[in-house]
PDB file of all heavy atoms in Angstrom:
ATOM      1  N   TYR A  93      33.931 334.148  -8.834  1.00  0.00           N
ATOM      2  CA  TYR A  93      34.483 333.143  -8.178  1.00  0.00           C
ATOM      3  C   TYR A  93      35.671 333.595  -7.243  1.00  0.00           C
ATOM      4  O   TYR A  93      36.403 334.391  -7.715  1.00  0.00           O
ATOM      5  CB  TYR A  93      35.069 332.080  -9.165  1.00  0.00           C
ATOM      6  CG  TYR A  93      35.875 331.017  -8.659  1.00  0.00           C
ATOM      7  CD1 TYR A  93      35.270 329.952  -7.919  1.00  0.00           C
ATOM      8  CD2 TYR A  93      37.216 330.855  -8.868  1.00  0.00           C
ATOM      9  CE1 TYR A  93      36.081 328.943  -7.388  1.00  0.00           C
ATOM     10  CE2 TYR A  93      37.957 329.947  -8.422  1.00  0.00           C
ATOM     11  CZ  TYR A  93      37.400 328.907  -7.607  1.00  0.00           C
ATOM     12  OH  TYR A  93      38.133 327.854  -7.151  1.00  0.00           O
ATOM     13  N   ASN A 110      44.752 322.702  -3.341  1.00  0.00           N
ATOM     14  CA  ASN A 110      44.822 321.358  -3.913  1.00  0.00           C
ATOM     15  C   ASN A 110      45.895 321.403  -5.016  1.00  0.00           C
ATOM     16  O   ASN A 110      45.828 320.652  -5.943  1.00  0.00           O
ATOM     17  CB  ASN A 110      43.489 321.040  -4.505  1.00  0.00           C
ATOM     18  CG  ASN A 110      42.434 320.911  -3.497  1.00  0.00           C
ATOM     19  OD1 ASN A 110      42.779 320.739  -2.289  1.00  0.00           O
ATOM     20  ND2 ASN A 110      41.184 320.939  -3.932  1.00  0.00           N
ATOM     21  N   VAL A 162      43.034 326.768 -21.359  1.00  0.00           N
ATOM     22  CA  VAL A 162      43.917 327.294 -20.236  1.00  0.00           C
ATOM     23  C   VAL A 162      43.328 326.814 -18.904  1.00  0.00           C
ATOM     24  O   VAL A 162      42.607 327.551 -18.200  1.00  0.00           O
ATOM     25  CB  VAL A 162      43.729 328.856 -20.387  1.00  0.00           C
ATOM     26  CG1 VAL A 162      44.812 329.524 -19.403  1.00  0.00           C
ATOM     27  CG2 VAL A 162      44.124 329.297 -21.797  1.00  0.00           C
ATOM     28  N   GLY A 163      43.804 325.648 -18.491  1.00  0.00           N
ATOM     29  CA  GLY A 163      43.228 325.003 -17.266  1.00  0.00           C
ATOM     30  C   GLY A 163      41.942 324.532 -17.605  1.00  0.00           C
ATOM     31  O   GLY A 163      41.210 324.879 -18.543  1.00  0.00           O
ATOM     32  N   SER A 164      41.410 323.662 -16.726  1.00  0.00           N
ATOM     33  CA  SER A 164      39.987 323.078 -16.943  1.00  0.00           C
ATOM     34  C   SER A 164      39.056 324.192 -16.792  1.00  0.00           C
ATOM     35  O   SER A 164      37.876 324.069 -17.280  1.00  0.00           O
ATOM     36  CB  SER A 164      39.782 321.793 -16.125  1.00  0.00           C
ATOM     37  OG  SER A 164      39.879 322.127 -14.833  1.00  0.00           O
ATOM     38  N   ASP A 165      39.332 325.299 -16.088  1.00  0.00           N
ATOM     39  CA  ASP A 165      38.363 326.421 -15.859  1.00  0.00           C
ATOM     40  C   ASP A 165      38.025 326.984 -17.265  1.00  0.00           C
ATOM     41  O   ASP A 165      36.868 327.152 -17.616  1.00  0.00           O
ATOM     42  CB  ASP A 165      39.020 327.539 -15.081  1.00  0.00           C
ATOM     43  CG  ASP A 165      38.942 327.250 -13.589  1.00  0.00           C
ATOM     44  OD1 ASP A 165      38.149 326.372 -13.236  1.00  0.00           O
ATOM     45  OD2 ASP A 165      39.605 327.937 -12.739  1.00  0.00           O
ATOM     46  N   ASP A 166      39.026 327.144 -18.148  1.00  0.00           N
ATOM     47  CA  ASP A 166      38.726 327.658 -19.486  1.00  0.00           C
ATOM     48  C   ASP A 166      37.919 326.635 -20.268  1.00  0.00           C
ATOM     49  O   ASP A 166      36.937 327.042 -20.971  1.00  0.00           O
ATOM     50  CB  ASP A 166      40.004 327.886 -20.136  1.00  0.00           C
ATOM     51  CG  ASP A 166      39.957 328.439 -21.536  1.00  0.00           C
ATOM     52  OD1 ASP A 166      39.206 329.369 -21.778  1.00  0.00           O
ATOM     53  OD2 ASP A 166      40.786 327.940 -22.391  1.00  0.00           O
ATOM     54  N   LEU A 168      35.887 324.328 -19.149  1.00  0.00           N
ATOM     55  CA  LEU A 168      34.489 324.210 -18.600  1.00  0.00           C
ATOM     56  C   LEU A 168      33.729 325.465 -19.004  1.00  0.00           C
ATOM     57  O   LEU A 168      32.588 325.342 -19.378  1.00  0.00           O
ATOM     58  CB  LEU A 168      34.555 324.130 -17.131  1.00  0.00           C
ATOM     59  CG  LEU A 168      34.937 322.742 -16.465  1.00  0.00           C
ATOM     60  CD1 LEU A 168      35.371 322.873 -15.120  1.00  0.00           C
ATOM     61  CD2 LEU A 168      33.889 321.710 -16.568  1.00  0.00           C
ATOM     62  N   TYR A 189      32.008 322.218  -7.147  1.00  0.00           N
ATOM     63  CA  TYR A 189      32.984 323.261  -7.505  1.00  0.00           C
ATOM     64  C   TYR A 189      32.212 324.589  -7.695  1.00  0.00           C
ATOM     65  O   TYR A 189      31.293 324.679  -8.475  1.00  0.00           O
ATOM     66  CB  TYR A 189      33.634 322.713  -8.782  1.00  0.00           C
ATOM     67  CG  TYR A 189      34.664 323.690  -9.269  1.00  0.00           C
ATOM     68  CD1 TYR A 189      35.446 324.442  -8.412  1.00  0.00           C
ATOM     69  CD2 TYR A 189      35.109 323.907 -10.613  1.00  0.00           C
ATOM     70  CE1 TYR A 189      36.540 325.264  -8.813  1.00  0.00           C
ATOM     71  CE2 TYR A 189      36.021 324.744 -11.083  1.00  0.00           C
ATOM     72  CZ  TYR A 189      36.825 325.351 -10.157  1.00  0.00           C
ATOM     73  OH  TYR A 189      37.758 326.270 -10.502  1.00  0.00           O
ATOM     74  N   TYR A 192      30.838 326.580 -10.919  1.00  0.00           N
ATOM     75  CA  TYR A 192      29.666 326.254 -11.791  1.00  0.00           C
ATOM     76  C   TYR A 192      28.600 327.249 -11.720  1.00  0.00           C
ATOM     77  O   TYR A 192      28.129 327.763 -12.860  1.00  0.00           O
ATOM     78  CB  TYR A 192      29.142 324.849 -11.437  1.00  0.00           C
ATOM     79  CG  TYR A 192      30.100 323.709 -11.587  1.00  0.00           C
ATOM     80  CD1 TYR A 192      29.826 322.553 -10.804  1.00  0.00           C
ATOM     81  CD2 TYR A 192      31.152 323.672 -12.477  1.00  0.00           C
ATOM     82  CE1 TYR A 192      30.757 321.384 -10.848  1.00  0.00           C
ATOM     83  CE2 TYR A 192      32.007 322.584 -12.464  1.00  0.00           C
ATOM     84  CZ  TYR A 192      31.835 321.445 -11.736  1.00  0.00           C
ATOM     85  OH  TYR A 192      32.705 320.382 -11.746  1.00  0.00           O
ATOM     86  N   ALA A 229      31.218 316.889 -10.825  1.00  0.00           N
ATOM     87  CA  ALA A 229      32.577 316.729 -10.480  1.00  0.00           C
ATOM     88  C   ALA A 229      32.862 315.352  -9.969  1.00  0.00           C
ATOM     89  O   ALA A 229      32.126 315.051  -8.887  1.00  0.00           O
ATOM     90  CB  ALA A 229      33.089 317.819  -9.522  1.00  0.00           C
ATOM     91  N   ALA A 233      34.193 317.864  -5.467  1.00  0.00           N
ATOM     92  CA  ALA A 233      34.922 318.905  -4.657  1.00  0.00           C
ATOM     93  C   ALA A 233      34.005 319.813  -4.099  1.00  0.00           C
ATOM     94  O   ALA A 233      33.056 320.324  -4.776  1.00  0.00           O
ATOM     95  CB  ALA A 233      35.967 319.568  -5.561  1.00  0.00           C
ATOM     96  N   ASP A 259      33.472 316.320 -14.626  1.00  0.00           N
ATOM     97  CA  ASP A 259      34.719 317.001 -14.345  1.00  0.00           C
ATOM     98  C   ASP A 259      35.615 316.146 -13.427  1.00  0.00           C
ATOM     99  O   ASP A 259      35.448 316.036 -12.291  1.00  0.00           O
ATOM    100  CB  ASP A 259      34.333 318.367 -13.567  1.00  0.00           C
ATOM    101  CG  ASP A 259      35.475 319.211 -13.169  1.00  0.00           C
ATOM    102  OD1 ASP A 259      36.626 318.821 -13.358  1.00  0.00           O
ATOM    103  OD2 ASP A 259      35.175 320.263 -12.653  1.00  0.00           O
ATOM    104  N   ALA A 261      38.762 316.430 -12.473  1.00  0.00           N
ATOM    105  CA  ALA A 261      39.984 317.222 -12.074  1.00  0.00           C
ATOM    106  C   ALA A 261      40.865 316.273 -11.096  1.00  0.00           C
ATOM    107  O   ALA A 261      42.027 316.470 -11.067  1.00  0.00           O
ATOM    108  CB  ALA A 261      39.507 318.552 -11.386  1.00  0.00           C
ATOM    109  N   TYR A 262      40.083 315.459 -10.276  1.00  0.00           N
ATOM    110  CA  TYR A 262      40.942 314.682  -9.229  1.00  0.00           C
ATOM    111  C   TYR A 262      40.992 313.137  -9.534  1.00  0.00           C
ATOM    112  O   TYR A 262      41.297 312.506  -8.606  1.00  0.00           O
ATOM    113  CB  TYR A 262      40.200 315.018  -7.818  1.00  0.00           C
ATOM    114  CG  TYR A 262      40.239 316.522  -7.537  1.00  0.00           C
ATOM    115  CD1 TYR A 262      39.204 317.348  -7.697  1.00  0.00           C
ATOM    116  CD2 TYR A 262      41.407 317.146  -7.068  1.00  0.00           C
ATOM    117  CE1 TYR A 262      39.139 318.643  -7.407  1.00  0.00           C
ATOM    118  CE2 TYR A 262      41.485 318.420  -6.679  1.00  0.00           C
ATOM    119  CZ  TYR A 262      40.427 319.203  -6.916  1.00  0.00           C
ATOM    120  OH  TYR A 262      40.445 320.511  -6.685  1.00  0.00           O
ATOM    121  N   THR A 287      42.512 317.958 -15.979  1.00  0.00           N
ATOM    122  CA  THR A 287      43.312 319.092 -15.721  1.00  0.00           C
ATOM    123  C   THR A 287      44.842 318.609 -15.503  1.00  0.00           C
ATOM    124  O   THR A 287      45.018 317.419 -14.965  1.00  0.00           O
ATOM    125  CB  THR A 287      42.920 319.964 -14.559  1.00  0.00           C
ATOM    126  OG1 THR A 287      43.873 321.096 -14.434  1.00  0.00           O
ATOM    127  CG2 THR A 287      42.812 319.197 -13.344  1.00  0.00           C
ATOM    128  N   SER A 289      46.599 320.405 -13.495  1.00  0.00           N
ATOM    129  CA  SER A 289      46.888 321.250 -12.336  1.00  0.00           C
ATOM    130  C   SER A 289      47.125 320.532 -11.055  1.00  0.00           C
ATOM    131  O   SER A 289      47.797 320.917 -10.126  1.00  0.00           O
ATOM    132  CB  SER A 289      45.811 322.242 -12.105  1.00  0.00           C
ATOM    133  OG  SER A 289      45.622 323.086 -13.098  1.00  0.00           O
ATOM    134  N   LYS A 290      46.549 319.213 -10.991  1.00  0.00           N
ATOM    135  CA  LYS A 290      46.582 318.496  -9.674  1.00  0.00           C
ATOM    136  C   LYS A 290      47.660 317.394  -9.843  1.00  0.00           C
ATOM    137  O   LYS A 290      48.758 317.422  -9.253  1.00  0.00           O
ATOM    138  CB  LYS A 290      45.222 318.044  -9.366  1.00  0.00           C
ATOM    139  CG  LYS A 290      44.070 318.927  -9.591  1.00  0.00           C
ATOM    140  CD  LYS A 290      44.094 320.134  -8.705  1.00  0.00           C
ATOM    141  CE  LYS A 290      42.893 321.059  -9.062  1.00  0.00           C
ATOM    142  NZ  LYS A 290      42.931 322.287  -8.264  1.00  0.00           N
ATOM    143  N   ARG A 298      48.726 326.132 -16.512  1.00  0.00           N
ATOM    144  CA  ARG A 298      47.326 326.396 -16.869  1.00  0.00           C
ATOM    145  C   ARG A 298      47.017 325.525 -18.143  1.00  0.00           C
ATOM    146  O   ARG A 298      46.987 326.012 -19.351  1.00  0.00           O
ATOM    147  CB  ARG A 298      47.066 327.887 -17.203  1.00  0.00           C
ATOM    148  CG  ARG A 298      47.411 328.823 -16.092  1.00  0.00           C
ATOM    149  CD  ARG A 298      46.718 328.458 -14.764  1.00  0.00           C
ATOM    150  NE  ARG A 298      45.305 328.444 -14.795  1.00  0.00           N
ATOM    151  CZ  ARG A 298      44.564 327.474 -14.369  1.00  0.00           C
ATOM    152  NH1 ARG A 298      45.099 326.360 -13.792  1.00  0.00           N
ATOM    153  NH2 ARG A 298      43.207 327.508 -14.518  1.00  0.00           N
ATOM    154  N   VAL A 299      46.852 324.239 -18.014  1.00  0.00           N
ATOM    155  CA  VAL A 299      46.437 323.302 -19.104  1.00  0.00           C
ATOM    156  C   VAL A 299      45.327 322.375 -18.598  1.00  0.00           C
ATOM    157  O   VAL A 299      45.454 321.782 -17.568  1.00  0.00           O
ATOM    158  CB  VAL A 299      47.610 322.469 -19.646  1.00  0.00           C
ATOM    159  CG1 VAL A 299      47.069 321.523 -20.696  1.00  0.00           C
ATOM    160  CG2 VAL A 299      48.745 323.350 -20.146  1.00  0.00           C
ATOM    161  N   GLY A 300      44.277 322.390 -19.372  1.00  0.00           N
ATOM    162  CA  GLY A 300      43.088 321.477 -19.087  1.00  0.00           C
ATOM    163  C   GLY A 300      42.591 320.962 -20.479  1.00  0.00           C
ATOM    164  O   GLY A 300      43.019 321.514 -21.513  1.00  0.00           O
TER     165      GLY A 300
HETATM  166  N1  PMP B 592      37.258 321.507 -11.522  1.00  0.00           N
HETATM  167  C1  PMP B 592      37.444 321.301 -10.078  1.00  0.00           C
HETATM  168  C2  PMP B 592      36.371 320.315  -9.430  1.00  0.00           C
HETATM  169  C3  PMP B 592      38.374 321.958  -9.425  1.00  0.00           C
HETATM  170  O1  PMP B 592      38.439 321.754  -8.102  1.00  0.00           O
HETATM  171  C4  PMP B 592      39.164 322.814  -9.982  1.00  0.00           C
HETATM  172  C5  PMP B 592      40.317 323.515  -9.265  1.00  0.00           C
HETATM  173  N2  PMP B 592      39.998 324.709  -8.757  1.00  0.00           N
HETATM  174  C6  PMP B 592      39.049 322.906 -11.419  1.00  0.00           C
HETATM  175  C7  PMP B 592      38.005 322.319 -12.058  1.00  0.00           C
HETATM  176  C8  PMP B 592      39.932 323.916 -12.193  1.00  0.00           C
HETATM  177  O2  PMP B 592      41.139 323.629 -12.277  1.00  0.00           O
HETATM  178  P1  PMP B 592      42.237 324.196 -13.348  1.00  0.00           P
HETATM  179  O3  PMP B 592      41.556 325.476 -14.042  1.00  0.00           O
HETATM  180  O4  PMP B 592      43.426 324.563 -12.587  1.00  0.00           O
HETATM  181  O5  PMP B 592      42.403 323.036 -14.316  1.00  0.00           O
END
Side-chain angles (χ1 to χ4, degrees):
Y93 170 73
N110 297 343
V162 186
S164 53
D165 280 344
D166 182 42
L168 286 160
Y189 185 31
Y192 302 151
D259 177 355
Y262 300 99
T287 180
S289 299
K290 319 292 177 183
R298 310 304 299 129
V299 179

